[in-house]
Amino acid sequence: MKLFAYEVREDEKEHFERFSKKLGVDLTFTDEVPTLDNASMATGCDGITMLGQGKIDQPLLDEYKRLGIRCISTRTIGYDHIDVTYAKKIGLSVCNAFYDPNGVAEYTVMLMLLCIRHYKVALWRAQVNDYSLQGLYGREMRNLTVGILGTGRIGTQVAEILSGFGCRVLGYDKYPGKASRWLTYTDEETIYRESDILTIHLNLSDQTRHMINRETIAKMKDGVILINCARGGLMDTEALIAGIEQKKIGGLGLDCFEDEEGIYHLDRRDDIISNRSMAYLRQFPNVVMTQHMAFYTDAAVSNMVRCGIESVCSVITTGTYQTLL
């Protein structure tokens, strides 16, 4: 079985070598993002695997189909970068990755703590030997209500971690699950109205895009803290900026950003980055932004690579896979 891997990082290579050898896969790889220009690299392969920086749209899917590709495996949980509907229409299987939710959940809670304790401002001051306390008056988690939008594996893990802080935890999900052990399920309107901190853990789709917008922010408490370790497109950037400027939003903890493609996971130190909204938002003292790294742990990277290879092998040999979309 032949597999071509795109967007292979240095930290993934040892895992690709190990799992491809274990599963008897003939592997070829590149660090390039998948495009029409480099689609021919996958010629003769049964499947391809990639991360999330490229847009796997109709023209590219048609080209992969023409090349004989049978399965597309993304080494990410999210799959909004792939036109899954069209892939299915032309007979291409699409799989996403599975990895334990602990890393992202822990990172989510860390961003909450950074925001409620004003750590960004404290860090800035320390760089110039300003150790004053003015403006650093924080809050304790145990006295707050945390709302979780989306209680899948990651949202549930966030709720479990928060149970140790003693805070009130509310949850909303169209399909409530076992998270009820650590939170109280309620409706979406109540989540917006009563949460001091609101964290979102949903897939990005046409239904969830800009779920956090001017209208929903207006329903929230003054000074609400918003956390996003899922997908940037879940939040309307201009609405976030307006909320910060109007002091409706008390803080933002963002590990992802709308239109982050071509910026995050790259070294752009010497470049002119043409994303004014990003530059403007990140300069606020109560906004913490990191480079989409909540997932980035040793365990998660290993599992992402394993899924990227295993899913193709399973689809080609049996026609099924546990995370087949």
Side-chain angles (χ1 to χ4, degrees), residues 183-251:
L183 56 75
T184 301
Y185 277 106
T186 187
D187 58 90
E188 194 173 346
E189 295 296 312
T190 301
I191 286 276
Y192 292 140
R193 185 177 64 251
E194 299 189 11
S195 296
D196 297 294
I197 302 173
L198 184 65
T199 180
I200 187 167
H201 300 283
L202 296 166
N203 286 323
L204 180 61
S205 66
D206 291 340
Q207 290 71 42
T208 60
R209 184 175 298 277
H210 287 183
M211 185 176 184
I212 304 302
N213 52 50
R214 291 177 186 267
E215 181 180 347
T216 53
I217 290 172
K219 299 175 182 179
M220 299 177 191
K221 284 186 176 182
D222 291 344
V224 65
I225 303 291
L226 300 180
I227 307 294
N228 189 358
C229 288
R231 286 293 184 270
L234 294 166
M235 295 182 166
D236 182 345
T237 302
E238 294 306 311
L240 296 180
I241 290 173
I244 290 287
E245 289 178 333
Q246 296 161 11
K247 299 184 179 180
K248 176 69 176 181
I249 296 175

Side-chain angles (χ1 to χ4, degrees), residues 11 15 22 25 38 47 113 132 179 232 246 250 262 272 291 314 320 324:
D11 56 86
H15 302 295
K22 178 180 179 180
V25 171
N38 60 27
L113 293 169
S132 61
Q246 296 161 11
I272 302 298
Q291 55 267 50
S314 183
T320 60
L324 187 65

Side-chain angles (χ1 to χ4, degrees), residues 35-267:
T35 65
L36 271 176
D37 291 335
N38 60 27
S40 60
M41 290 182 174
T43 300
C45 291
D46 300 290
I48 60 172
T49 178
M50 79 286 291
L51 292 171
Q53 293 296 313
K55 292 294 183 184
I56 315 302
D57 54 14
Q58 293 188 17
L60 186 52
L61 289 168
D62 283 333
E63 182 62 12
Y64 285 139
K65 180 71 174 179
R66 188 188 69 80
L67 292 172
I69 299 299
R70 297 167 59 188
C71 179
I72 294 173
S73 171
T74 178
R75 302 189 301 280
T76 58
I77 292 178
Y79 48 88
D80 52 284
H81 54 295
I82 303 173
D83 189 338
V84 176
T85 301
Y86 187 74
K88 289 183 177 181
K89 180 179 178 181
I90 63 175
L92 284 175
S93 296
V94 179
C95 302
N96 62 335
F98 168 95
Y99 54 85
D100 289 332
N102 304 65
V104 176
E106 291 169 4
Y107 201 93
T108 297
V109 176
M110 180 193 74
L111 287 180
M112 293 179 189
L113 293 169
L114 291 179
C115 288
I116 66 174
R117 298 308 301 268
H118 307 293
Y119 182 70
K120 181 178 178 180
V121 176
L123 180 63
W124 282 358
R125 290 184 187 178
Q127 304 306 311
V128 293
N129 291 333
D130 177 358
Y131 303 108
S132 61
L133 292 175
Q134 184 177 358
L136 302 183
Y137 204 55
R139 290 181 287 175
E140 297 183 16
M141 191 77 85
R142 65 193 175 109
N143 297 322
L144 303 178
T145 296
V146 181
I148 301 176
L149 289 172
T151 58
R153 295 172 61 251
I154 294 174
T156 296
Q157 187 65 34
V158 170
E160 182 178 357
I161 294 171
L162 289 174
S163 67
F165 286 87
C167 53
R168 177 187 182 218
V169 184
L170 301 178
Y172 170 75
D173 198 297
K174 289 184 177 179
Y175 307 100
K178 67 177 183 180
S180 57
R181 178 179 176 183
W182 297 288
L183 56 75
T184 301
Y185 277 106
T186 187
D187 58 90
E188 194 173 346
E189 295 296 312
T190 301
I191 286 276
Y192 292 140
R193 185 177 64 251
E194 299 189 11
S195 296
D196 297 294
I197 302 173
L198 184 65
T199 180
I200 187 167
H201 300 283
L202 296 166
N203 286 323
L204 180 61
S205 66
D206 291 340
Q207 290 71 42
T208 60
R209 184 175 298 277
H210 287 183
M211 185 176 184
I212 304 302
N213 52 50
R214 291 177 186 267
E215 181 180 347
T216 53
I217 290 172
K219 299 175 182 179
M220 299 177 191
K221 284 186 176 182
D222 291 344
V224 65
I225 303 291
L226 300 180
I227 307 294
N228 189 358
C229 288
R231 286 293 184 270
L234 294 166
M235 295 182 166
D236 182 345
T237 302
E238 294 306 311
L240 296 180
I241 290 173
I244 290 287
E245 289 178 333
Q246 296 161 11
K247 299 184 179 180
K248 176 69 176 181
I249 296 175
L252 290 174
L254 305 177
D255 185 53
C256 48
F257 185 80
E258 196 171 19
D259 301 321
E260 68 185 45
E261 295 82 6
I263 301 176
Y264 282 178
H265 299 178
L266 300 173
D267 184 348

